[in-house]
C-alpha cells in the first residue's frame, strides 16, 4: 500500500471516533486526500483490479457510511430543547454531512462510474426511509440519486425491476404526503426520471403508475409551483405514450378523470409555456385514444367511458383553444420588435382534431358555463346557476378567423388550423365550404401585401387542392366556380415563384393543382423550366415530374420563340432540350468561366432519382407513358391499393397506435385487386415506350458537358462528385429499364467511365481525410459524404428494387471506398457515432453482395454487432 493510501486508510479508521472534534479533523483531512492525484490513481487501479484486500473506492465508501451513521446518531440523541443558535448550528451540521457524501461520490465517479450501483442505492434508500435522516439529508441524497445515479447509463442498466418499484413507491409517498422539508420540485423531477426508467427498463408496474397519477392530479389545482406540475405532467405523458397501446380503456378513463383539472389550470392559473406544452400533449394523446384517426362514433372505432361527460369536455376544450388562438393574436399586435407569428404545431394539430370532432355536428352554437371546468360534476344541473356564454361552432368560425382581420397575428393561426384540418380530414370538409374558403384565400393571395401570411396561404391552398381531388359530390355550378378560382390562383402562383420566400410553397401548390387536374398549364408555366427564373430544387423537380405525368408536353411553343427557342447554329432548340439544359445547368464551352458556380443538380439533394427519370423521359416520344412506367406503384403499396405518396402522408398524420386501435376494432380485409391491375398497367406502358435518339444523344452531350464543368472547376467537393456519378448512373439505369440499352453496354459507355472516375476521386479524398478527424472542416465533409452515399445507395436499391438489379451502381464503389467509410464511422465522436453507424449498416445491408470483397473483420463486425 502506498503512503498516501495508508494515510487515507488511517483517516477512515478514525471516522467512528467518539470525539466530535477528532471526527471533524479527520473528515477535513479525508476531503483533501481523496482529491490528490496519487490517491485517485491508486484507488482507480485497485477498483479495477477488484482485489479484496486493497483499499478501493467501495471500501472508502463503506467507511464514509460509518461516519454518517455516527454523526446521525449523535444528532438524533441531542437535546431538542435548545436555543435558536444551537438549532441553526445543527442544521448547518446536517448540510455539511449531506454535502460530504455528494463530494465523495462525484470525485469517485468523475472519470466514470467506479462505485457499485447496488451499494449506492441501498445506502440512499436506507437513509430516505428513516424519518430523521430523510429530514436531515433528504434533499442532498435526492440530488445524488438524480444527478449521480439516474443520469449514469451504466447505473441505469444495473437497477433491477424491484429497485425501480421501491424507488417509485418511496418518491410517490414523498410527493403525496410531503413534509415541510420536502423539495417538491426535486421530488417531481425524480419521479419523471423514475417513470421513464420504469417504462423503458422494467415491466409490471402499470397499475401502480395509474393509481399514482390519479391521486397526484387530484390536488394539482392547489399546487402553487408550476415546475412541479410540469414535471408530473411530463412523466404522465411518457407513461401514457408507452402504455396506451395495451391499456386504451384505462388511459381514456384516467384522461376523463383529470381532464377538468387541466382545463382549470390552463384557464385560471395562466401557466407558463413549458407547462402548456405538456398539457397540450396530454390533450392530443387523449383525442388520439378516444378518436383514433378522427373516428367520431363507437361504430367507427371511437371510445369513451362516459360519452356525455366526454362530449362536454370537448366543448370546453374547444372554447379554450379558440380563446388561446385569439389571445396569441392580440398579444402579437402590441409586441415590440420581431416576434414569431405562427402558432406551434402541437397546438395547431390539437385545434384541428377538436374542430373535426365538433364541426360535423348539427349544433351551430353551444352554451358554455363560466364554471364548467371547475368540477368534474359541472355538467350536472345541481348547485348554484352560473354565468353562461354562447360559443359558435362550425366552418363559419374558420371563415371568420380568416376574414375578421388583416393582421398577420390574427390570420396566420387560422390559416395553420385550416391547413391541418383539411389535410388530416379531407372527407369531413363540406363541398359547399370548399368554394367559400377558396374564395377567401384567393382574396388574401391577390392582395400581395407584405408580411408572413403568403407562404401559409399557399400551403392551405395546396391542401384544399388535394381535398377537392377527393370530392366526387360537387355539382356542376360548384365545379365551374372552382375552375375559375383555380385559374386565377394559378396565375398569381406563377408570379410568386420568383420570390425566394414563397418559391417552395408555390411549387407545392402548382403540383397539387396539376395532380387534381384543376386547371391546364399555360405557356408561362413551361417557361419556368426553360429559363433562369429559378434554379432546380426538390420542389421544382417534383412539380415538373407531376406536369410531365399529367399533361402533354408541347414540342414547340408558337408565338414566343424569342423567349423559349435558343438558336444553336442553324437548328432551333426544342422545349425538351431547354428543360434538359435547365436541369443540368448546361453552359456552352465558350460561356464557361473559371470560377463559375457548380450546377444545382450536383450541389443539392434531389428525391429518389427523380432528375434522372425526368431527363430520360424528356428523350422519349411519349413523356406521359415514361412517367407512368417509372412511377408505377411498388408491390407493397399496390397490395394496399394506395400509392407510396399516400401511404407516407397517412403515416405522417396518424400514429401507429391509432392504426392499431382501428384494426382491433374491425375485421377489415385488405383489397388486393389493385395488384394485378398495377402489374398489367406497367407492362402495357413499357410496350408503348420508344426513344427519340436525337434527344438521347443530346442528353449524353449535356451530361458530358456537366462532367467537363466539374473537371474544370477550381475546387469540387467530393459529395458533388458522388451526386454527379449518381445522376449519370441513374440515367443509364433508366435506359436499361426501358430496354433501350443493356447493362453490359451501359458499363462500357463513356458516361459510366466518367462516373467511375468521380467515385475513385471521392475515394482518394476519403483515404487522405480519414486520419484528420480532429479538423472540423474535414469531419463535417466526411459526415456529409456518408449521408450522400447512403442516400444514393438507398435510392438505387429500394426504389428500383422491382426492376433492374442495382449492380450497375454498385460496380462504381471499390471495396477500399467502403472500408474507409466504415473506419470513419468507428472513429467519429461518441455522440455522432451511433447515427453514422446506423447509416453505414444500411449501406452494408444494401450492398451485402460486395461484403466478400471487403476487409472480413470490418464487414463481419458491422453486419453482426447489435445496436444498443
Amino acid at each position: 500500500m502506498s503512503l498516501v493510501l495508508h494515510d487515507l486508510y488511517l483517516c477512515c479508521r478514525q471516522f467512528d471516533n467518539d470525539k466530535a472534534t477528532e471526527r471533524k479533523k479527520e473528515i477535513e483531512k479525508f476531503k483533501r486526500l481523496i482529491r490528490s492525484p496519487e490517491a485517485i490513481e491508486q484507488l482507480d487501479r485497485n477498483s479495477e483490479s477488484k482485489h479484496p484486500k486493497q483499499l478501493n473506492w467501495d471500501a472508502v465508501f463503506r467507511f464514509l457510511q460509518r461516519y454518517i451513521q455516527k454523526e446521525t446518531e449523535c444528532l438524533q440523541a441531542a437535546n431538542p430543547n435548545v436555543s435558536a443558535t444551537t438549532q441553526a448550528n445543527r442544521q448547518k451540521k446536517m448540510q455539511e454531512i449531506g454535502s460530504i457524501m455528494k463530494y465523495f461520490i462525484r470525485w469517485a465517479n468523475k472519470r466514470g462510474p467506479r462505485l457499485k450501483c447496488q451499494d449506492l442505492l441501498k445506502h440512499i434508500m436506507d437513509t430516505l426511509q428513516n424519518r430523521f435522516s430523510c429530514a436531515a439529508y433528504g434533499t442532498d441524497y435526492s440530488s445524488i440519486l438524480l444527478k449521480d445515479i439516474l443520469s449514469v447509463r451504466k447505473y441505469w442498466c444495473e437497477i433491477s425491476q424491484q429497485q425501480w418499484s421501491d424507488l417509485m413507491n418511496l418518491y410517490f409517498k414523498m410527493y403525496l404526503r410531503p413534509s415541510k422539508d420536502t423539495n417538491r420540485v426535486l421530488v417531481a423531477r425524480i419521479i419523471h426520471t423514475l417513470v421513464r426508467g420504469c417504462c423503458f427498463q422494467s415491466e409490471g408496474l402499470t397499475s401502480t403508475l395509474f393509481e399514482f397519477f390519479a391521486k397526484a392530479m387530484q390536488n394539482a389545482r392547489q399546487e402553487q409551483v408550476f415546475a412541479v406540475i410540469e414535471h408530473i405532467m411530463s412523466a404522465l405523458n411518457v407513461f401514457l405514450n408507452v402504455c396506451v397501446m395495451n391499456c386504451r380503456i384505462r388511459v381514456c378513463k384516467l384522461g376523463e378523470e383529470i381532464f377538468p383539472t387541466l382545463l382549470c389550470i390552463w384557464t385560471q392559473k395562466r401557466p407558463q409555456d413549458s407547462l402548456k406544452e405538456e398539457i397540450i400533449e396530454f390533450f392530443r394523446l387523449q383525442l388520439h385514444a378516444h378518436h383514433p384517426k378522427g373516428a367520431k362514433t363507437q361504430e367507427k372505432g371511437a371510445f369513451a367511458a362516459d360519452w356525455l361527460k366526454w362530449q362536454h369536455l370537448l366543448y370546453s376544450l374547444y372554447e379554450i383553444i379558440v380563446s388561446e388562438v385569439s389571445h396569441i393574436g392580440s398579444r402579437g399586435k402590441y409586441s415590440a420588435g420581431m416576434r414569431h407569428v405562427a402558432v406551434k404545431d402541437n397546438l395547431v394539430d390539437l385545434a384541428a382534431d377538436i374542430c373535426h370532432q365538433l364541426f360535423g355536428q348539427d349544433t351551430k352554437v353551444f352554451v358554455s358555463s363560466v364554471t364548467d371546468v371547475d368540477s368534474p360534476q359541472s355538467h350536472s344541473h345541481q348547485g348554484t346557476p352560473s354565468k353562461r356564454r354562447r360559443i359558435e361552432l362550425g366552418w363559419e368560425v374558420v371563415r371568420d378567423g380568416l376574414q375578421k382581420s388583416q393582421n398577420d397575428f390574427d390570420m396566420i393561426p387560422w390559416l395553420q388550423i385550416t391547413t391541418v384540418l383539411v389535410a388530416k380530414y379531407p372527407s369531413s370538409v363540406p363541398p359547399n365550404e370548399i368554394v367559400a374558403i377558396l374564395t377567401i384565400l384567393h382574396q388574401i393571395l391577390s392582395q400581395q401585401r407584405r408580411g408572413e401570411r403568403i407562404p401559409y396561404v399557399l400551403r392551405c391552398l395546396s391542401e384544399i387542392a388535394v381535398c377537392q381531388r377527393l370530392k366526387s359530390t360537387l355539382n356542376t355550378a360548384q365545379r365551374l366556380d372552382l375552375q375559375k378560382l383555380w385559374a386565377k390562383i394559378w396565375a398569381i402562383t406563377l408570379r410568386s415563384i420568383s420570390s425566394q420566400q414563397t418559391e417552395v410553397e408555390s411549387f407545392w401548390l402548382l403540383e397539387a393543382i396539376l395532380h387534381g387536374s384543376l386547371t391546364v398549364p399555360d405557356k408561362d408555366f413551361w417557361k419556368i423550366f426553360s429559363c433562369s427564373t429559378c434554379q432546380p430544387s426538390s420542389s421544382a423537380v417534383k412539380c415538373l415530374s407531376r406536369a410531365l405525368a399529367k399533361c402533354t408536353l408541347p414540342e414547340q411553343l408558337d408565338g414566343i420563340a424569342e423567349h423559349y427557342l435558343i438558336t444553336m447554329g442553324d437548328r432551333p432548340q426544342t422545349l425538351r432540350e431547354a428543360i434538359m439544359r435547365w436541369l443540368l445547368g448546361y453552359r456552352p464551352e465558350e460561356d464557361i468561366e473559371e470560377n463559375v458556380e457548380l450546377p444545382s443538380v450536383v450541389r443539392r439533394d434531389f428525391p429518389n432519382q427523380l432528375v434522372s427519370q425526368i431527363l430520360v423521359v424528356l428523350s422519349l416520344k411519349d413523356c406521359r407513358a415514361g412517367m407512368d412506367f417509372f412511377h408505377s406503384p411498388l408491390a407493397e403499396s399496390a397490395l394496399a391499393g394506395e400509392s407510396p405518396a399516400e401511404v407516407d402522408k397517412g403515416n405522417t398524420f396518424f400514429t401507429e397506435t391509432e392504426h392499431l386501435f382501428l384494426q382491433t376494432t374491425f375485421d377489415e380485409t385488405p383489397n388486393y385487386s389493385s395488384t394485378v391491375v398495377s402489374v398489367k398497367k406497367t407492362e402495357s406502358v413499357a410496350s408503348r415506350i420508344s426513344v427519340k435518339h436525337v434527344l438521347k444523344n443530346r442528353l449524353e452531350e449535356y451530361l458530358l458537358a456537366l462532367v467537363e464543368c466539374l473537371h474544370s472547376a477550381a475546387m469540387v467537393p467530393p459529395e458533388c462528385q458522388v451526386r454527379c456519378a449518381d445522376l449519370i448512373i441513374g440515367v443509364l439505369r433508366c435506359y436499361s429499364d426501358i430496354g433501350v440499352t443493356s447493362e453490359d453496354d451501359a458499363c462500357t459507355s463513356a458516361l459510366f467511365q466518367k462516373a467511375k472516375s468521380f467515385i475513385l476521386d471521392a475515394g482518394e479524398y476519403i483515404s487522405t481525410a480519414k486520419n484528420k478527424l480532429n479538423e472540423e472542416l474535414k469531419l463535417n465533409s466526411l459526415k456529409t459524404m456518408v449521408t450522400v452515399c447512403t442516400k444514393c445507395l438507398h435510392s438505387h436499391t429500394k426504389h428500383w428494387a422491382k426492376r433492374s438489379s442495382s449492380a450497375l451502381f454498385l460496380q462504381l464503389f471499390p471495396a477500399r471506398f467502403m472500408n474507409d467509410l466504415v473506419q470513419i464511422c468507428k472513429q467519429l465522436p461518441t455522440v455522432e457515432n451511433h447515427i453514422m453507424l446506423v447509416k453505414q449498416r444500411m449501406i452494408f445491408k444494401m450492398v451485402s453482395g460486395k461484403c466478400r470483397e471487403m476487409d472480413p473483420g470490418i464487414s463481419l463486425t458491422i453486419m453482426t454487432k447489435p445496436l444498443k
Side-chain angles (χ1 to χ4, degrees):
M1 183 182 294
S2 65
L3 182 61
V4 66
L5 284 192
H6 181 71
D7 291 342
L8 180 60
Y9 176 72
L10 294 178
C11 176
C12 292
R13 289 287 300 273
Q14 295 298 316
F15 282 170
D16 55 356
N17 195 301
D18 293 333
K19 295 182 180 180
T21 54
E22 289 295 324
R23 294 198 303 272
K24 182 177 181 180
K25 182 178 67 174
E26 294 300 328
I27 203 67
E28 292 299 326
K29 182 180 179 182
F30 169 80
K31 289 194 290 185
R32 186 178 68 254
L33 286 172
I34 63 167
R35 67 172 181 260
S36 67
E38 186 181 351
I40 291 172
E41 184 181 353
Q42 289 287 336
L43 289 171
D44 284 350
R45 187 181 300 116
N46 293 345
S47 296
E48 291 172 0
S49 66
K50 300 180 181 180
H51 196 284
K53 294 186 178 181
Q54 291 179 335
L55 187 67
N56 56 24
W57 288 110
D58 289 323
V60 176
F61 179 59
R62 289 192 290 271
F63 280 118
L64 189 59
Q65 291 181 64
R66 290 167 55 184
Y67 167 79
I68 291 175
Q69 182 181 0
K70 185 72 175 180
E71 293 291 350
T72 304
E73 291 172 355
C74 293
L75 288 170
Q76 197 167 2
N79 183 10
N81 301 320
V82 293
S83 64
T85 303
T86 304
Q87 197 69 26
N89 290 334
R90 287 180 183 174
Q91 290 293 331
K92 184 179 178 181
K93 180 69 174 177
M94 293 177 186
Q95 293 175 359
E96 290 176 353
I97 293 171
S99 64
I100 287 169
M101 181 57 73
K102 258 201 242 184
Y103 182 84
F104 167 75
I105 291 174
R106 286 169 190 174
W107 270 104
N109 289 346
K110 197 172 184 179
R111 297 149 313 284
R114 306 283 180 178
L115 300 170
K116 292 179 181 178
C117 176
Q118 303 301 322
D119 294 344
L120 284 173
L121 281 179
K122 184 178 184 306
H123 175 65
I124 290 173
M125 291 285 291
D126 291 344
T127 302
L128 295 177
Q129 287 172 343
N130 181 279
R131 180 175 297 180
F132 179 84
S133 59
C134 181
Y137 325 123
T139 300
D140 288 324
Y141 273 57
S142 294
S143 177
I144 291 170
L145 177 65
L146 180 65
K147 297 179 180 179
D148 300 295
I149 298 178
L150 297 180
S151 64
V152 179
R153 182 64 184 170
K154 182 176 182 293
Y155 289 160
W156 181 281
C157 297
E158 291 176 359
I159 301 175
S160 66
Q161 179 167 329
Q162 185 60 46
Q163 288 173 322
W164 284 115
S165 178
D166 293 342
L167 285 168
M168 275 204 314
N169 291 330
L170 174 63
Y171 277 92
F172 288 172
K173 183 178 178 181
M174 291 173 65
Y175 182 85
L176 296 174
R177 302 175 187 174
S179 65
K180 62 178 182 179
D181 301 312
T182 302
N183 184 335
R184 289 184 62 75
V185 176
L186 180 58
V187 170
R189 287 180 63 192
I190 292 175
I191 288 174
H192 177 219
T193 307
L194 290 174
V195 169
R196 287 183 62 242
C198 289
C199 289
F200 299 123
Q201 296 291 117
S202 63
E203 298 177 354
L205 303 174
T206 304
S207 296
T208 303
L209 289 167
F210 271 113
E211 293 170 4
F212 165 72
F213 285 116
K215 294 177 182 177
M217 296 308 297
Q218 287 178 357
N219 302 320
R221 299 189 197 191
Q222 286 73 43
E223 181 62 58
Q224 300 300 316
V225 183
F226 285 147
V228 175
I229 307 176
E230 180 185 339
H231 291 304
I232 295 299
M233 282 301 304
S234 180
L236 174 60
N237 288 333
V238 169
F239 168 61
L240 294 183
N241 274 296
V242 171
C243 75
V244 67
M245 191 173 289
N246 298 320
C247 309
R248 180 190 180 189
I249 294 177
R250 295 189 69 176
V251 168
C252 291
K253 287 181 178 179
L254 178 65
E256 293 169 29
E257 182 180 344
I258 67 179
F259 218 91
T261 299
L262 297 177
L263 292 174
C264 179
I265 291 173
W266 190 330
T267 55
Q268 297 181 10
K269 290 184 174 292
R270 295 183 180 180
Q272 55 197 12
D273 290 344
S274 56
L275 176 54
K276 275 188 180 180
E277 293 285 319
E278 297 297 341
I279 295 176
I280 289 171
E281 177 62 24
F282 173 81
F283 289 155
R284 288 181 62 205
L285 192 147
Q286 287 298 320
L287 278 167
H288 293 165
H290 281 81
H291 305 281
K293 298 182 72 173
K296 295 185 179 182
T297 62
Q298 287 180 292
E299 291 75 16
K300 295 294 184 180
F303 172 83
D306 184 338
W307 275 104
L308 180 62
K309 177 181 178 180
W310 176 245
Q311 193 72 11
H312 178 81
L313 292 172
L314 289 181
Y315 283 128
S316 299
L317 178 59
Y318 171 79
E319 180 186 4
I320 290 174
I321 290 175
V322 172
S323 176
E324 179 73 11
V325 171
S326 300
H327 175 65
I328 290 172
S330 61
R331 184 176 56 187
K333 293 177 191 175
Y334 306 106
S335 62
M338 296 296 294
R339 186 182 183 88
H340 191 57
V341 179
V343 178
K344 291 185 178 179
D345 291 342
N346 55 0
L347 179 58
V348 172
D349 192 71
L350 176 63
D353 288 338
I354 194 70
C355 288
H356 168 68
Q357 290 301 318
L358 301 181
F359 280 9
Q361 302 179 0
D362 295 334
T363 307
K364 299 298 181 183
V365 175
F366 79 92
V367 179
S368 170
S369 171
V370 172
T371 59
D372 271 352
V373 296
D374 288 346
S375 170
Q377 292 80 26
S378 58
H379 57 276
S380 173
H381 294 290
Q382 302 175 0
T384 306
S386 58
K387 295 181 180 179
R388 307 178 79 80
R389 288 193 294 262
R390 288 168 57 87
I391 305 298
E392 295 184 358
L393 289 170
W395 285 89
E396 294 84 358
V397 178
V398 175
R399 287 190 266 111
D400 290 343
L402 297 175
Q403 284 180 303
K404 67 182 180 181
S405 172
Q406 294 299 315
N407 189 289
D408 283 353
F409 286 98
D410 289 323
M411 186 183 297
I412 287 177
W414 283 106
L415 284 169
Q416 292 178 275
I417 293 171
T418 307
T419 302
V420 177
L421 181 57
V422 173
K424 289 185 72 172
Y425 309 106
S427 60
S428 67
V429 183
N432 60 313
E433 290 294 339
I434 295 180
V435 179
I437 295 177
L438 196 62
T439 302
I440 296 171
L441 294 176
H442 169 249
Q443 292 173 354
I444 300 172
L445 190 65
S446 62
Q447 292 169 0
Q448 290 290 335
R449 292 189 178 183
R450 290 188 177 182
E452 300 182 35
R453 73 183 66 172
I454 300 302
Y456 295 96
V457 175
L458 294 171
R459 290 172 199 157
C460 190
L461 286 167
S462 300
E463 296 301 340
I464 291 177
V466 175
C467 176
Q468 182 180 333
R469 180 171 58 87
L470 304 175
K471 295 293 181 183
S472 58
T473 57
L474 295 171
N475 57 43
T476 304
Q478 289 172 335
R479 291 186 183 277
L480 288 175
D481 291 340
L482 289 170
Q483 187 176 0
K484 294 176 183 178
L485 285 170
W486 283 120
K488 296 175 183 178
I489 292 169
W490 176 275
I492 299 173
T493 307
L494 286 179
R495 294 196 299 268
S496 64
I497 285 175
S498 58
S499 172
Q500 291 184 351
Q501 286 74 22
T502 58
E503 177 186 335
V504 174
E505 290 81 5
S506 297
F507 277 119
W508 288 350
L509 177 54
L510 294 177
E511 182 186 359
I513 294 173
L514 289 169
H515 190 34
S517 301
L518 304 180
T519 191
V520 179
D522 52 11
K523 60 184 180 181
D524 291 333
F525 172 76
W526 297 111
K527 181 179 178 181
I528 296 171
F529 308 105
S530 56
C531 61
S532 58
T533 304
C534 63
Q535 290 188 344
S537 62
S538 292
S539 55
V541 167
K542 288 179 181 178
C543 181
L544 175 59
S545 171
R546 182 69 65 185
L548 293 173
K550 300 290 290 187
C551 310
T552 301
L553 180 66
E555 296 298 330
Q556 301 289 348
L557 296 177
D558 298 332
I560 53 170
E562 65 275 10
H563 295 293
Y564 291 97
L565 303 179
I566 304 171
T567 302
M568 298 179 62
D570 56 353
R571 187 183 65 83
Q573 180 192 10
T574 64
L575 177 59
R576 296 183 182 220
E577 292 178 70
I579 297 176
M580 289 181 184
R581 291 160 67 103
W582 176 78
L583 283 170
L584 297 174
Y586 174 80
R587 295 181 184 88
E589 292 184 6
E590 58 271 15
D591 295 340
I592 296 179
E593 302 174 2
E594 290 186 2
N595 297 324
V596 69
E597 187 180 31
L598 294 176
S600 297
V601 74
V602 296
R603 287 188 291 106
R604 298 179 178 180
D605 288 320
F606 290 87
N608 305 331
Q609 303 298 313
L610 199 53
V611 175
S612 301
Q613 293 170 5
I614 292 174
L615 289 171
V616 172
V617 163
L618 289 170
S619 67
L620 304 179
K621 291 182 179 180
D622 188 346
C623 293
R624 295 178 66 178
M627 294 306 296
D628 287 343
F629 175 78
F630 288 121
H631 290 178
S632 59
L634 298 179
E636 54 270 22
S637 60
L639 289 174
E642 298 176 330
S643 69
E646 290 171 340
V647 173
D648 292 340
K649 187 172 182 180
N651 289 334
T652 301
F653 286 128
F654 300 109
T655 63
E656 180 184 352
T657 305
E658 292 177 89
H659 291 288
L660 177 66
F661 288 160
L662 294 185
Q663 289 172 7
T664 54
T665 305
F666 305 103
D667 295 325
E668 293 184 348
T669 304
N671 182 13
Y672 296 98
S673 59
S674 60
T675 308
V676 178
V677 175
S678 298
V679 173
K680 289 182 178 179
K681 181 180 178 182
T682 302
E683 292 175 353
S684 61
V685 167
S687 63
R688 290 189 284 112
I689 292 177
S690 58
V691 68
K692 291 186 175 183
H693 291 282
V694 174
L695 290 173
K696 179 178 180 292
N697 295 335
R698 186 64 60 187
L699 174 58
E700 293 176 0
E701 176 188 332
Y702 295 156
L703 288 172
L704 290 172
L706 175 64
V707 172
E708 292 302 319
C709 177
L710 265 64
H711 281 311
S712 61
M715 184 179 69
V716 180
E719 59 268 20
C720 293
Q721 294 176 317
V722 175
R723 289 193 189 101
C724 187
D726 175 53
L727 173 68
I728 292 172
I729 297 301
V731 170
L732 294 176
R733 287 196 62 188
C734 284
Y735 281 127
S736 176
D737 285 342
I738 61 179
V740 174
T741 59
S742 66
E743 288 191 25
D744 293 337
D745 292 337
C747 291
T748 59
S749 65
L751 284 174
F752 183 85
Q753 299 305 319
K754 297 290 185 182
K756 192 163 189 176
S757 67
F758 278 137
I759 294 298
L760 292 175
D761 291 343
E764 290 297 325
Y765 172 83
I766 291 175
S767 298
T768 56
K770 68 180 181 181
N771 298 322
K772 301 179 181 179
L773 294 179
N774 56 337
E775 299 179 15
E776 186 174 355
L777 290 176
K778 295 289 186 183
L779 179 62
N780 292 334
S781 177
L782 290 172
K783 287 191 289 186
T784 303
M785 276 291 294
V786 173
T787 303
V788 170
C789 291
T790 304
K791 287 181 179 178
C792 294
L793 287 164
H794 190 61
S795 64
H796 277 279
T797 52
K798 178 180 179 181
H799 296 282
W800 276 344
K802 303 302 179 184
R803 299 192 177 104
S804 63
S805 69
S806 58
L808 188 63
F809 183 73
L810 297 181
Q811 288 181 26
L812 296 177
F813 291 91
R816 179 186 175 189
F817 187 102
M818 308 303 260
N819 288 329
D820 288 342
L821 282 183
V822 177
Q823 291 178 5
I824 290 168
C825 291
K826 293 171 68 176
Q827 297 175 38
L828 284 175
T830 306
V831 177
E832 297 154 343
N833 190 30
H834 176 77
I835 298 173
M836 287 299 170
L837 199 55
V838 169
K839 289 181 177 179
Q840 202 58 29
R841 286 177 200 172
M842 286 174 59
I843 292 177
F844 282 108
K845 186 176 180 181
M846 291 181 283
V847 296
S848 55
K850 292 184 70 67
C851 285
R852 61 177 177 269
E853 303 174 17
M854 301 173 53
D855 184 339
I858 293 179
S859 60
L860 183 61
T861 301
I862 295 299
M863 294 299 291
T864 59
K865 184 179 178 182
L867 282 173
K868 296 183 179 180

